[in-house]
Amino acid sequence: MTSAEAEWLLMVDGAARGNPGEAGCGAVICDGGGKVVKELCRYLGKTTNNVAEYEALLMGLEALIAMGKKKIRVQSDSELLVRQLNGQYRVRDPKLQMLFERARSLLRHFDRCTIVHVRREANKAADKLANRGIDDALKNRHAG
């Protein structure tokens, strides 16, 4: 199987210190062999943890689309995000509805996509990046 045909892994996580509170998102992209090829993080300002989870997903999906990948597996420790995207839960919150629709639109770019829930322990790399997004922004704020 060539790397273009292999299923790529996207690990996503959002973090909010307070809910709502200072928030960030993180994503890790691994190739078909499990090697980390990209790490992404971003500060989101003050928002909820659920918004941060969706922002992490969107950030990762956009990166995979830019990389031209077509077969992906998304893992998240957010049961809400996974169940909403898999059609098990309805999206009631208007802010989440907009993010959900954007995610569904991006997911159409892939030939195959599996979205799975994992335990927090299996998502530590993405969690670390989500928190780095917050830490870097707060550090820069205090340094400036």
Side-chain angles (χ1 to χ4, degrees), residues 55-114:
E55 291 288 355
L57 174 67
L58 297 174
M59 179 174 65
L61 292 175
E62 288 168 352
L64 282 163
I65 290 167
M67 295 166 72
K69 302 308 166 195
K70 291 293 184 182
K71 296 176 183 169
I72 65 168
R73 174 184 172 93
V74 177
Q75 74 178 40
S76 170
D77 61 16
S78 169
E79 188 175 334
L80 179 78
L81 176 126
V82 171
R83 290 192 176 207
Q84 285 178 338
L85 288 167
N86 285 330
Q88 296 166 288
Y89 288 174
R90 277 188 279 159
V91 184
R92 291 191 170 100
D93 181 275
K95 174 85 173 167
L96 290 185
Q97 182 68 43
M98 289 183 349
L99 296 169
F100 171 82
E101 293 299 333
R102 176 82 178 119
R104 297 302 296 169
S105 175
L106 291 174
L107 288 167
R108 288 188 199 80
H109 288 265
F110 301 98
D111 293 339
R112 187 176 72 216
C113 176
T114 307

Side-chain angles (χ1 to χ4, degrees), residues 22 31 35 49-50 63 70 79 125 127 129 143:
E22 300 290 346
D31 67 15
K35 179 183 172 208
N49 191 63
N50 289 333
K70 291 293 184 182
E79 188 175 334
D127 175 72
L129 289 167

Side-chain angles (χ1 to χ4, degrees), residues 25 54 65 67 116-117:
C25 60
Y54 267 99
I65 290 167
M67 295 166 72
V116 296
H117 179 256

Side-chain angles (χ1 to χ4, degrees), residues 7-66:
E7 183 178 71
W8 284 58
L9 174 64
L10 171 61
M11 297 180 276
V12 299
D13 200 17
R17 297 183 185 158
N19 203 18
E22 300 290 346
C25 60
V28 179
I29 296 173
C30 300
D31 67 15
K35 179 183 172 208
V36 173
V37 296
K38 193 167 219 142
E39 293 182 324
L40 305 161
C41 66
R42 190 169 71 222
Y43 175 66
L44 300 171
K46 288 197 176 179
T47 194
T48 66
N49 191 63
N50 289 333
V51 167
E53 297 283 354
Y54 267 99
E55 291 288 355
L57 174 67
L58 297 174
M59 179 174 65
L61 292 175
E62 288 168 352
L64 282 163
I65 290 167

